[in-house]
Amino acid sequence: MQLGTRWTSGDEPPKVVPEALARGIRAVDESIPDDALGQPRPRWTLTWLEARPIAELDTGVIVSLDADGEPVVRHDDGDEFA
């Protein structure tokens, strides 16, 4: 069993996050606008399912790796983003 971790969106992902997954996370982070009211940024949660990393943002955005090891971004409602 592998434990996960949490960090704030916009911060560098922890070193345990595979680089391909980190690329997808950074792309999502870059698309989140700054909050003019100073609200805290959402947080990522890293979990492992069958030894594969999955990062989920508090907003419901999920970044995982496909069979080729490339990042896939989707929302927890099942929609994939281009």
Side-chain angles (χ1 to χ4, degrees), residues 4-78:
T5 189
R6 286 182 54 83
W7 70 98
T8 301
S9 170
D11 290 352
E12 187 63 26
K15 297 214 182 289
V16 298
V17 177
E19 182 53 36
L21 189 68
R23 282 195 319 267
I25 291 167
R26 286 186 201 104
V28 171
D29 283 347
E30 290 169 2
S31 73
I32 299 172
D34 288 331
D35 187 323
L37 299 176
Q39 296 298 308
R41 290 184 65 92
R43 292 181 52 84
W44 287 102
T45 301
L46 175 69
T47 56
W48 297 83
L49 180 61
E50 297 179 1
R52 296 184 76 163
I54 299 171
E56 184 170 359
L57 196 57
D58 291 340
T59 62
V61 174
I62 298 170
V63 181
S64 58
L65 299 177
D66 66 13
D68 295 325
E70 293 300 313
V72 176
V73 179
R74 62 185 174 87
H75 198 271
D76 65 3
D77 64 7

